[in-house]
Amino acid sequence: MTDAARILVIDDDRDIGELVVATAETMGLRCTAMTDAAELPRLLTPDVSLILLDLMMPQMDGIEVLRVMGQLGTTAGIVLMSGISKRVMETAEKLARTLRLTIVGHLTKPFRLTELEDLLRGNLPQVKSTPARPCPHVQVSDEDLRNAMRNGEFVLYYQPQVDIASGRVEGLEALARWQHPRLGLLPPDCFIPRLEALGAIDSFGWLMADQGLKEARRFASNGCPAPRIALNVSVQSLKDLRFPDTFIGLARKHSIPAESIMVEITESGLMQEPSSALDVLTRLRMKNVQLSIDDFGTGYAMMQQLVNIPANELKIDKVFVENMHANSSDRVLVEKTIEIGHELGMTVTAEGVETNEQLEFLRRKGCDRAQGFLFSRPLPLSSINEWLRNRHERSAQAP
Ligand code: C2E
Ligand code: CA
Ligand code: CA
């Protein structure tokens, strides 16, 4: 740990905060304690290299704090402190992983002083050497991002969504990429959180929707119904009550029927913005736009809330698909999601399918659709059309 590095303790219990600060100081480390989540953006400066976070706090939700940290893009190592069950810890860890945060340890309350000292001592070098961000080399300014929007540097790549039983390609998910003039093709993790923080995700969303709907007219259909286009929409955009009308206006402009469009909203987003989002989503559904709850399993949707969301599709997050074979709780989550989805009359799509073994498991469990590298990586429009034509020819030749 460098001299400048700092530790942050987030616990509503002042005594714990003071204990950690005192312990760290006797070890020659700088440490700040906070009891109010609202202080996080101010205190989470780049010199913070280790964060001790209490998961269970009455006034603030540790899970919510993890989300804010994800949005702030912290690279610090995180230690989860709690007296709660191992399962909750595991779930929080998974969430952290999907937020690209790095969990470096646990501290089960009540803990002994020696445990705390060991942790502070043992973890710091590791924290320093573990970069958590996917694109730490990318240094872009807010101005770069705004210019990129103006200059049309954002492009869409498409990834097929396949009906497991028939093998038919039912949809193409549009995934944004930044064709950076100097740095090459950059993935969304390098710019979506920044655009959200900048308050520019709304205009970015409209830009991508316009481009996607324009390109969807050119999807190769090979005589079959053309695949549906799936657009990722940030939950921030759903705060605007005019969203459904503007969206339908755009679809009309490009002559794409509403039922050929799937709007994907992340589960965690939905849980953050339940009321206004619900209004907008219900009106979109009434206009025949298809709705998908993305990254299912990483948020904390209660059955009650799930029943209220008028979605057509549940998308199982790739973290669970990836670990399905190794981890029994992930396997159960996948099975249960399929059951819940079907119980609520939704189609269930698994994302991140990379192996035949995963596909077979999903087929046996009755999962409807699959998406992943097993079929294709996301490709630009011309390549995805070629892929669609090849696949069509292959299936036509099959006995
Ligand atoms: P997502 O919607 O969950 O998209 C799926 C991600 O999984 C994509 O990453 C895709 O490339 C990746 N993926 C697909 N199949 C596999 C597989 O078999 N294995 C593995 N390991 N990964 C697979 P990508 O393109 O980097 O997108 C990341 C996230 O960025 C998306 O997650 C979505 O939340 C967000 N995003 C992308 N485009 C847009 C956009 O236009 N607007 C908004 N608001 N968000 C977007
Ligand atoms: Ca998605
Ligand atoms: Ca997803």
Side-chain angles (χ1 to χ4, degrees):
M1 178 162 168
T2 62
D3 288 346
R6 199 158 55 86
I7 300 166
L8 199 60
V9 193
I10 309 172
D11 199 315
D12 61 309
D13 185 342
R14 249 172 234 287
D15 292 343
I16 300 274
E18 281 168 16
L19 173 75
V20 177
V21 171
T23 311
E25 280 173 357
T26 58
M27 296 170 72
L29 304 168
R30 292 200 305 143
C31 183
T32 312
M34 55 178 269
T35 53
D36 183 357
E39 284 187 294
L40 193 61
R42 185 175 64 82
L43 291 177
L44 191 53
T45 44
D47 61 335
V48 172
S49 65
L50 185 73
I51 301 168
L52 276 69
L53 170 67
D54 183 13
L55 275 182
M56 298 298 257
M57 299 176 283
Q59 301 91 340
M60 59 174 163
D61 177 353
I63 299 295
E64 199 52 47
V65 175
L66 280 176
R67 274 199 197 108
V68 176
M69 286 181 189
Q71 279 163 6
L72 294 172
T74 183
T75 55
I78 300 166
V79 173
L80 300 176
M81 298 191 289
S82 191
I84 49 173
S85 77
K86 200 165 151 264
R87 256 197 73 87
V88 177
M89 283 278 205
E90 278 174 8
T91 316
E93 257 198 70
K94 261 179 216 144
L95 171 72
R97 241 188 294 151
T98 65
L99 294 169
R100 308 209 177 265
L101 298 169
T102 313
I103 303 290
V104 293
H106 300 282
L107 207 52
T108 309
K109 284 180 175 178
F111 51 82
R112 279 171 306 170
L113 202 57
T114 52
E115 283 180 86
L116 176 65
E117 284 168 348
D118 284 350
L119 193 131
L120 293 180
R121 205 174 286 124
N123 269 310
L124 294 183
Q126 193 191 337
V127 172
K128 238 184 80 192
S129 61
T130 323
R133 298 303 292 171
C135 41
H137 59 285
V138 178
Q139 294 283 336
V140 291
S141 67
D142 295 352
E143 200 43 40
D144 286 345
L145 282 165
R146 290 208 181 86
N147 282 337
M149 284 213 270
R150 271 195 293 273
N151 300 340
E153 289 170 16
F154 291 108
V155 295
L156 287 171
Y157 272 46
Y158 296 94
Q159 189 179 36
Q161 303 177 319
V162 178
D163 178 80
I164 295 179
S166 69
R168 227 170 61 83
V169 179
E170 299 201 318
L172 293 176
E173 178 173 4
L175 294 154
R177 301 285 181 266
W178 183 356
Q179 188 66 66
H180 195 287
R182 262 183 312 111
L183 302 166
L185 201 66
L186 300 179
D189 291 333
C190 296
F191 54 87
I192 299 278
R194 292 281 307 277
L195 288 166
E196 281 179 342
L198 247 179
I201 194 71
D202 235 4
S203 30
F204 173 82
W206 288 119
L207 203 66
M208 291 299 102
D210 190 45
Q211 194 166 320
L213 294 174
K214 184 163 85 195
E215 296 187 339
R217 291 198 60 184
R218 291 162 50 205
F219 286 170
S221 66
N222 309 304
C224 310
R228 194 181 279 139
I229 180 169
L231 292 167
N232 290 285
V233 173
S234 164
V235 76
Q236 285 189 29
S237 302
L238 304 183
K239 285 182 187 155
D240 181 1
L241 292 175
R242 290 164 307 180
F243 185 90
D245 292 319
T246 316
F247 194 83
I248 290 295
L250 203 57
R252 286 214 183 100
K253 174 181 142 193
H254 294 294
S255 310
I256 302 288
E259 57 273 21
S260 302
I261 309 169
M262 177 78 84
V263 165
E264 297 194 4
I265 312 275
T266 60
E267 182 201 12
S268 55
L270 280 173
M271 294 311 118
Q272 276 168 40
E273 286 293 332
S275 55
S276 65
L278 213 60
D279 179 302
V280 166
L281 292 179
T282 306
R283 282 191 297 131
L284 272 180
R285 271 299 293 128
M286 284 160 62
K287 292 177 192 293
N288 258 342
V289 173
Q290 308 286 298
L291 290 182
S292 174
I293 304 179
D294 204 353
D295 298 351
F296 189 75
T298 61
Y300 293 84
M302 298 293 119
M303 270 305 273
Q304 196 52 45
Q305 290 161 307
L306 206 55
V307 173
N308 289 330
I309 301 167
N312 308 77
E313 178 186 77
L314 267 191
K315 261 184 113 170
I316 309 175
D317 191 70
K318 59 176 178 291
V319 189
F320 304 104
V321 174
E322 188 187 313
N323 296 321
M324 230 162 40
H325 283 87
N327 184 324
S328 67
S329 71
D330 285 358
R331 202 156 47 238
V332 172
L333 189 130
V334 169
E335 285 179 35
K336 289 292 159 205
T337 306
I338 298 170
E339 279 173 29
I340 292 168
H342 287 168
E343 192 72 31
L344 296 173
M346 292 189 238
T347 299
V348 181
T349 298
E351 71 175 14
V353 179
E354 294 185 357
T355 67
N356 273 311
E357 200 185 3
Q358 289 166 335
L359 184 66
E360 279 321 306
F361 178 83
L362 293 163
R363 189 198 305 276
R364 273 203 310 282
K365 297 298 167 191
C367 185
D368 305 284
R369 284 197 278 256
Q371 175 179 353
F373 296 168
L374 177 64
F375 302 102
S376 170
R377 287 179 181 264
L379 298 171
L381 183 66
S382 57
S383 314
I384 202 73
N385 272 337
E386 195 184 320
W387 183 92
L388 285 168
R389 278 191 287 268
N390 281 339
R391 187 175 170 91
H392 188 72
E393 272 167 29
R394 275 199 310 276
S395 67
Q397 283 161 9

PDB file of all heavy atoms in Angstrom, residues 186-213:
ATOM      1  N   LEU A 186     -14.205  -0.332 -28.389  1.00  0.00           N
ATOM      2  CA  LEU A 186     -14.299  -0.417 -26.928  1.00  0.00           C
ATOM      3  C   LEU A 186     -15.651  -0.995 -26.503  1.00  0.00           C
ATOM      4  O   LEU A 186     -16.688  -0.638 -27.061  1.00  0.00           O
ATOM      5  CB  LEU A 186     -14.140   0.975 -26.304  1.00  0.00           C
ATOM      6  CG  LEU A 186     -12.821   1.717 -26.583  1.00  0.00           C
ATOM      7  CD1 LEU A 186     -12.847   3.090 -25.918  1.00  0.00           C
ATOM      8  CD2 LEU A 186     -11.632   0.909 -26.092  1.00  0.00           C
ATOM      9  N   PRO A 187     -15.643  -1.885 -25.498  1.00  0.00           N
ATOM     10  CA  PRO A 187     -16.904  -2.486 -25.016  1.00  0.00           C
ATOM     11  C   PRO A 187     -17.713  -1.511 -24.163  1.00  0.00           C
ATOM     12  O   PRO A 187     -17.167  -0.527 -23.654  1.00  0.00           O
ATOM     13  CB  PRO A 187     -16.414  -3.672 -24.182  1.00  0.00           C
ATOM     14  CG  PRO A 187     -15.072  -3.270 -23.697  1.00  0.00           C
ATOM     15  CD  PRO A 187     -14.471  -2.390 -24.767  1.00  0.00           C
ATOM     16  N   PRO A 188     -19.002  -1.805 -23.976  1.00  0.00           N
ATOM     17  CA  PRO A 188     -19.873  -0.877 -23.247  1.00  0.00           C
ATOM     18  C   PRO A 188     -19.434  -0.580 -21.808  1.00  0.00           C
ATOM     19  O   PRO A 188     -19.739   0.495 -21.301  1.00  0.00           O
ATOM     20  CB  PRO A 188     -21.244  -1.567 -23.242  1.00  0.00           C
ATOM     21  CG  PRO A 188     -21.118  -2.807 -24.012  1.00  0.00           C
ATOM     22  CD  PRO A 188     -19.743  -2.966 -24.510  1.00  0.00           C
ATOM     23  N   ASP A 189     -18.754  -1.525 -21.175  1.00  0.00           N
ATOM     24  CA  ASP A 189     -18.314  -1.266 -19.793  1.00  0.00           C
ATOM     25  C   ASP A 189     -17.421  -0.039 -19.716  1.00  0.00           C
ATOM     26  O   ASP A 189     -17.300   0.576 -18.665  1.00  0.00           O
ATOM     27  CB  ASP A 189     -17.528  -2.467 -19.249  1.00  0.00           C
ATOM     28  CG  ASP A 189     -18.439  -3.652 -19.037  1.00  0.00           C
ATOM     29  OD1 ASP A 189     -19.638  -3.427 -18.815  1.00  0.00           O
ATOM     30  OD2 ASP A 189     -17.948  -4.789 -19.112  1.00  0.00           O
ATOM     31  N   CYS A 190     -16.785   0.306 -20.831  1.00  0.00           N
ATOM     32  CA  CYS A 190     -15.895   1.468 -20.841  1.00  0.00           C
ATOM     33  C   CYS A 190     -16.658   2.783 -20.962  1.00  0.00           C
ATOM     34  O   CYS A 190     -16.079   3.834 -20.757  1.00  0.00           O
ATOM     35  CB  CYS A 190     -14.911   1.396 -22.005  1.00  0.00           C
ATOM     36  SG  CYS A 190     -13.772   0.036 -21.917  1.00  0.00           S
ATOM     37  N   PHE A 191     -17.940   2.712 -21.379  1.00  0.00           N
ATOM     38  CA  PHE A 191     -18.610   4.004 -21.572  1.00  0.00           C
ATOM     39  C   PHE A 191     -20.023   4.097 -20.985  1.00  0.00           C
ATOM     40  O   PHE A 191     -20.442   5.183 -20.624  1.00  0.00           O
ATOM     41  CB  PHE A 191     -18.616   4.410 -23.057  1.00  0.00           C
ATOM     42  CG  PHE A 191     -19.191   3.391 -24.002  1.00  0.00           C
ATOM     43  CD1 PHE A 191     -20.552   3.355 -24.258  1.00  0.00           C
ATOM     44  CD2 PHE A 191     -18.365   2.468 -24.637  1.00  0.00           C
ATOM     45  CE1 PHE A 191     -21.081   2.413 -25.128  1.00  0.00           C
ATOM     46  CE2 PHE A 191     -18.890   1.519 -25.514  1.00  0.00           C
ATOM     47  CZ  PHE A 191     -20.249   1.493 -25.759  1.00  0.00           C
ATOM     48  N   ILE A 192     -20.750   2.985 -20.844  1.00  0.00           N
ATOM     49  CA  ILE A 192     -22.131   3.096 -20.327  1.00  0.00           C
ATOM     50  C   ILE A 192     -22.165   3.701 -18.910  1.00  0.00           C
ATOM     51  O   ILE A 192     -22.895   4.669 -18.676  1.00  0.00           O
ATOM     52  CB  ILE A 192     -22.880   1.733 -20.369  1.00  0.00           C
ATOM     53  CG1 ILE A 192     -22.984   1.211 -21.797  1.00  0.00           C
ATOM     54  CG2 ILE A 192     -24.249   1.823 -19.684  1.00  0.00           C
ATOM     55  CD1 ILE A 192     -24.089   1.761 -22.654  1.00  0.00           C
ATOM     56  N   PRO A 193     -21.356   3.182 -17.967  1.00  0.00           N
ATOM     57  CA  PRO A 193     -21.413   3.788 -16.623  1.00  0.00           C
ATOM     58  C   PRO A 193     -21.037   5.265 -16.641  1.00  0.00           C
ATOM     59  O   PRO A 193     -21.626   6.076 -15.921  1.00  0.00           O
ATOM     60  CB  PRO A 193     -20.382   2.980 -15.821  1.00  0.00           C
ATOM     61  CG  PRO A 193     -20.186   1.712 -16.585  1.00  0.00           C
ATOM     62  CD  PRO A 193     -20.402   2.063 -18.026  1.00  0.00           C
ATOM     63  N   ARG A 194     -20.088   5.629 -17.516  1.00  0.00           N
ATOM     64  CA  ARG A 194     -19.687   7.038 -17.621  1.00  0.00           C
ATOM     65  C   ARG A 194     -20.826   7.892 -18.168  1.00  0.00           C
ATOM     66  O   ARG A 194     -21.084   8.998 -17.705  1.00  0.00           O
ATOM     67  CB  ARG A 194     -18.467   7.161 -18.549  1.00  0.00           C
ATOM     68  CG  ARG A 194     -17.196   6.557 -18.001  1.00  0.00           C
ATOM     69  CD  ARG A 194     -16.530   7.472 -16.974  1.00  0.00           C
ATOM     70  NE  ARG A 194     -16.318   8.829 -17.470  1.00  0.00           N
ATOM     71  CZ  ARG A 194     -15.300   9.199 -18.217  1.00  0.00           C
ATOM     72  NH1 ARG A 194     -14.378   8.316 -18.564  1.00  0.00           N
ATOM     73  NH2 ARG A 194     -15.178  10.444 -18.606  1.00  0.00           N
ATOM     74  N   LEU A 195     -21.509   7.369 -19.192  1.00  0.00           N
ATOM     75  CA  LEU A 195     -22.629   8.120 -19.775  1.00  0.00           C
ATOM     76  C   LEU A 195     -23.755   8.278 -18.760  1.00  0.00           C
ATOM     77  O   LEU A 195     -24.413   9.313 -18.710  1.00  0.00           O
ATOM     78  CB  LEU A 195     -23.152   7.405 -21.029  1.00  0.00           C
ATOM     79  CG  LEU A 195     -22.242   7.469 -22.261  1.00  0.00           C
ATOM     80  CD1 LEU A 195     -22.684   6.454 -23.308  1.00  0.00           C
ATOM     81  CD2 LEU A 195     -22.252   8.870 -22.868  1.00  0.00           C
ATOM     82  N   GLU A 196     -23.943   7.231 -17.937  1.00  0.00           N
ATOM     83  CA  GLU A 196     -24.989   7.316 -16.902  1.00  0.00           C
ATOM     84  C   GLU A 196     -24.628   8.400 -15.892  1.00  0.00           C
ATOM     85  O   GLU A 196     -25.456   9.236 -15.540  1.00  0.00           O
ATOM     86  CB  GLU A 196     -25.185   5.963 -16.217  1.00  0.00           C
ATOM     87  CG  GLU A 196     -26.030   5.038 -17.083  1.00  0.00           C
ATOM     88  CD  GLU A 196     -26.267   3.655 -16.494  1.00  0.00           C
ATOM     89  OE1 GLU A 196     -25.527   3.250 -15.580  1.00  0.00           O
ATOM     90  OE2 GLU A 196     -27.200   2.976 -16.982  1.00  0.00           O
ATOM     91  N   ALA A 197     -23.368   8.399 -15.469  1.00  0.00           N
ATOM     92  CA  ALA A 197     -22.928   9.384 -14.476  1.00  0.00           C
ATOM     93  C   ALA A 197     -23.003  10.807 -15.046  1.00  0.00           C
ATOM     94  O   ALA A 197     -23.291  11.765 -14.343  1.00  0.00           O
ATOM     95  CB  ALA A 197     -21.508   9.055 -14.022  1.00  0.00           C
ATOM     96  N   LEU A 198     -22.762  10.916 -16.338  1.00  0.00           N
ATOM     97  CA  LEU A 198     -22.767  12.219 -17.018  1.00  0.00           C
ATOM     98  C   LEU A 198     -24.178  12.754 -17.267  1.00  0.00           C
ATOM     99  O   LEU A 198     -24.362  13.908 -17.642  1.00  0.00           O
ATOM    100  CB  LEU A 198     -22.126  12.045 -18.396  1.00  0.00           C
ATOM    101  CG  LEU A 198     -20.811  12.697 -18.736  1.00  0.00           C
ATOM    102  CD1 LEU A 198     -20.402  12.333 -20.153  1.00  0.00           C
ATOM    103  CD2 LEU A 198     -20.900  14.204 -18.603  1.00  0.00           C
ATOM    104  N   GLY A 199     -25.168  11.872 -17.091  1.00  0.00           N
ATOM    105  CA  GLY A 199     -26.549  12.255 -17.406  1.00  0.00           C
ATOM    106  C   GLY A 199     -26.798  12.252 -18.908  1.00  0.00           C
ATOM    107  O   GLY A 199     -27.716  12.901 -19.397  1.00  0.00           O
ATOM    108  N   ALA A 200     -25.942  11.549 -19.657  1.00  0.00           N
ATOM    109  CA  ALA A 200     -26.073  11.551 -21.120  1.00  0.00           C
ATOM    110  C   ALA A 200     -26.629  10.230 -21.637  1.00  0.00           C
ATOM    111  O   ALA A 200     -26.722  10.029 -22.845  1.00  0.00           O
ATOM    112  CB  ALA A 200     -24.709  11.830 -21.760  1.00  0.00           C
ATOM    113  N   ILE A 201     -27.018   9.344 -20.721  1.00  0.00           N
ATOM    114  CA  ILE A 201     -27.443   8.000 -21.167  1.00  0.00           C
ATOM    115  C   ILE A 201     -28.759   8.060 -21.935  1.00  0.00           C
ATOM    116  O   ILE A 201     -29.015   7.237 -22.809  1.00  0.00           O
ATOM    117  CB  ILE A 201     -27.531   7.015 -19.962  1.00  0.00           C
ATOM    118  CG1 ILE A 201     -27.621   5.557 -20.437  1.00  0.00           C
ATOM    119  CG2 ILE A 201     -28.674   7.344 -19.024  1.00  0.00           C
ATOM    120  CD1 ILE A 201     -26.365   5.001 -21.030  1.00  0.00           C
ATOM    121  N   ASP A 202     -29.569   9.064 -21.604  1.00  0.00           N
ATOM    122  CA  ASP A 202     -30.837   9.224 -22.294  1.00  0.00           C
ATOM    123  C   ASP A 202     -30.635   9.508 -23.783  1.00  0.00           C
ATOM    124  O   ASP A 202     -31.184   8.817 -24.633  1.00  0.00           O
ATOM    125  CB  ASP A 202     -31.558  10.443 -21.680  1.00  0.00           C
ATOM    126  CG  ASP A 202     -32.923  10.064 -21.196  1.00  0.00           C
ATOM    127  OD1 ASP A 202     -33.261   8.869 -21.280  1.00  0.00           O
ATOM    128  OD2 ASP A 202     -33.637  10.968 -20.730  1.00  0.00           O
ATOM    129  N   SER A 203     -29.829  10.533 -24.074  1.00  0.00           N
ATOM    130  CA  SER A 203     -29.616  10.861 -25.488  1.00  0.00           C
ATOM    131  C   SER A 203     -28.863   9.737 -26.176  1.00  0.00           C
ATOM    132  O   SER A 203     -29.115   9.435 -27.344  1.00  0.00           O
ATOM    133  CB  SER A 203     -28.909  12.195 -25.662  1.00  0.00           C
ATOM    134  OG  SER A 203     -28.080  12.465 -24.595  1.00  0.00           O
ATOM    135  N   PHE A 204     -27.965   9.055 -25.437  1.00  0.00           N
ATOM    136  CA  PHE A 204     -27.261   7.910 -26.013  1.00  0.00           C
ATOM    137  C   PHE A 204     -28.269   6.809 -26.376  1.00  0.00           C
ATOM    138  O   PHE A 204     -28.202   6.224 -27.458  1.00  0.00           O
ATOM    139  CB  PHE A 204     -26.231   7.382 -25.007  1.00  0.00           C
ATOM    140  CG  PHE A 204     -25.571   6.107 -25.435  1.00  0.00           C
ATOM    141  CD1 PHE A 204     -24.506   6.123 -26.316  1.00  0.00           C
ATOM    142  CD2 PHE A 204     -26.026   4.876 -24.968  1.00  0.00           C
ATOM    143  CE1 PHE A 204     -23.904   4.945 -26.725  1.00  0.00           C
ATOM    144  CE2 PHE A 204     -25.437   3.703 -25.368  1.00  0.00           C
ATOM    145  CZ  PHE A 204     -24.372   3.737 -26.248  1.00  0.00           C
ATOM    146  N   GLY A 205     -29.213   6.564 -25.457  1.00  0.00           N
ATOM    147  CA  GLY A 205     -30.236   5.540 -25.688  1.00  0.00           C
ATOM    148  C   GLY A 205     -31.040   5.813 -26.950  1.00  0.00           C
ATOM    149  O   GLY A 205     -31.289   4.915 -27.757  1.00  0.00           O
ATOM    150  N   TRP A 206     -31.418   7.085 -27.137  1.00  0.00           N
ATOM    151  CA  TRP A 206     -32.196   7.437 -28.340  1.00  0.00           C
ATOM    152  C   TRP A 206     -31.366   7.279 -29.598  1.00  0.00           C
ATOM    153  O   TRP A 206     -31.858   6.842 -30.643  1.00  0.00           O
ATOM    154  CB  TRP A 206     -32.758   8.858 -28.235  1.00  0.00           C
ATOM    155  CG  TRP A 206     -33.870   8.942 -27.235  1.00  0.00           C
ATOM    156  CD1 TRP A 206     -33.901   9.702 -26.103  1.00  0.00           C
ATOM    157  CD2 TRP A 206     -35.118   8.218 -27.266  1.00  0.00           C
ATOM    158  NE1 TRP A 206     -35.080   9.498 -25.428  1.00  0.00           N
ATOM    159  CE2 TRP A 206     -35.850   8.595 -26.123  1.00  0.00           C
ATOM    160  CE3 TRP A 206     -35.674   7.286 -28.147  1.00  0.00           C
ATOM    161  CZ2 TRP A 206     -37.105   8.064 -25.831  1.00  0.00           C
ATOM    162  CZ3 TRP A 206     -36.934   6.763 -27.862  1.00  0.00           C
ATOM    163  CH2 TRP A 206     -37.632   7.156 -26.718  1.00  0.00           C
ATOM    164  N   LEU A 207     -30.092   7.607 -29.485  1.00  0.00           N
ATOM    165  CA  LEU A 207     -29.179   7.463 -30.624  1.00  0.00           C
ATOM    166  C   LEU A 207     -29.093   5.991 -31.049  1.00  0.00           C
ATOM    167  O   LEU A 207     -29.203   5.653 -32.235  1.00  0.00           O
ATOM    168  CB  LEU A 207     -27.792   7.948 -30.168  1.00  0.00           C
ATOM    169  CG  LEU A 207     -26.797   8.406 -31.198  1.00  0.00           C
ATOM    170  CD1 LEU A 207     -27.290   9.655 -31.885  1.00  0.00           C
ATOM    171  CD2 LEU A 207     -25.445   8.680 -30.521  1.00  0.00           C
ATOM    172  N   MET A 208     -28.933   5.105 -30.044  1.00  0.00           N
ATOM    173  CA  MET A 208     -28.803   3.678 -30.336  1.00  0.00           C
ATOM    174  C   MET A 208     -30.131   3.086 -30.824  1.00  0.00           C
ATOM    175  O   MET A 208     -30.150   2.245 -31.712  1.00  0.00           O
ATOM    176  CB  MET A 208     -28.327   2.919 -29.080  1.00  0.00           C
ATOM    177  CG  MET A 208     -26.896   3.223 -28.683  1.00  0.00           C
ATOM    178  SD  MET A 208     -25.674   2.773 -29.949  1.00  0.00           S
ATOM    179  CE  MET A 208     -25.296   4.330 -30.666  1.00  0.00           C
ATOM    180  N   ALA A 209     -31.239   3.563 -30.240  1.00  0.00           N
ATOM    181  CA  ALA A 209     -32.547   3.046 -30.662  1.00  0.00           C
ATOM    182  C   ALA A 209     -32.799   3.430 -32.125  1.00  0.00           C
ATOM    183  O   ALA A 209     -33.246   2.619 -32.938  1.00  0.00           O
ATOM    184  CB  ALA A 209     -33.649   3.600 -29.759  1.00  0.00           C
ATOM    185  N   ASP A 210     -32.455   4.676 -32.476  1.00  0.00           N
ATOM    186  CA  ASP A 210     -32.645   5.147 -33.840  1.00  0.00           C
ATOM    187  C   ASP A 210     -31.814   4.302 -34.810  1.00  0.00           C
ATOM    188  O   ASP A 210     -32.298   3.826 -35.828  1.00  0.00           O
ATOM    189  CB  ASP A 210     -32.246   6.631 -33.912  1.00  0.00           C
ATOM    190  CG  ASP A 210     -32.642   7.261 -35.232  1.00  0.00           C
ATOM    191  OD1 ASP A 210     -33.788   7.028 -35.674  1.00  0.00           O
ATOM    192  OD2 ASP A 210     -31.818   7.973 -35.825  1.00  0.00           O
ATOM    193  N   GLN A 211     -30.551   4.099 -34.429  1.00  0.00           N
ATOM    194  CA  GLN A 211     -29.652   3.332 -35.283  1.00  0.00           C
ATOM    195  C   GLN A 211     -30.108   1.873 -35.398  1.00  0.00           C
ATOM    196  O   GLN A 211     -30.153   1.312 -36.496  1.00  0.00           O
ATOM    197  CB  GLN A 211     -28.259   3.392 -34.654  1.00  0.00           C
ATOM    198  CG  GLN A 211     -27.168   2.928 -35.575  1.00  0.00           C
ATOM    199  CD  GLN A 211     -25.823   3.346 -34.990  1.00  0.00           C
ATOM    200  OE1 GLN A 211     -25.672   4.451 -34.450  1.00  0.00           O
ATOM    201  NE2 GLN A 211     -24.842   2.466 -35.063  1.00  0.00           N
ATOM    202  N   GLY A 212     -30.465   1.281 -34.265  1.00  0.00           N
ATOM    203  CA  GLY A 212     -30.890  -0.122 -34.254  1.00  0.00           C
ATOM    204  C   GLY A 212     -32.142  -0.341 -35.089  1.00  0.00           C
ATOM    205  O   GLY A 212     -32.220  -1.277 -35.883  1.00  0.00           O
ATOM    206  N   LEU A 213     -33.130   0.550 -34.924  1.00  0.00           N
ATOM    207  CA  LEU A 213     -34.386   0.367 -35.659  1.00  0.00           C
ATOM    208  C   LEU A 213     -34.168   0.582 -37.154  1.00  0.00           C
ATOM    209  O   LEU A 213     -34.794  -0.071 -37.984  1.00  0.00           O
ATOM    210  CB  LEU A 213     -35.464   1.301 -35.104  1.00  0.00           C
ATOM    211  CG  LEU A 213     -35.883   0.979 -33.656  1.00  0.00           C
ATOM    212  CD1 LEU A 213     -36.836   2.024 -33.110  1.00  0.00           C
ATOM    213  CD2 LEU A 213     -36.512  -0.411 -33.568  1.00  0.00           C
TER     214      LEU A 213
END
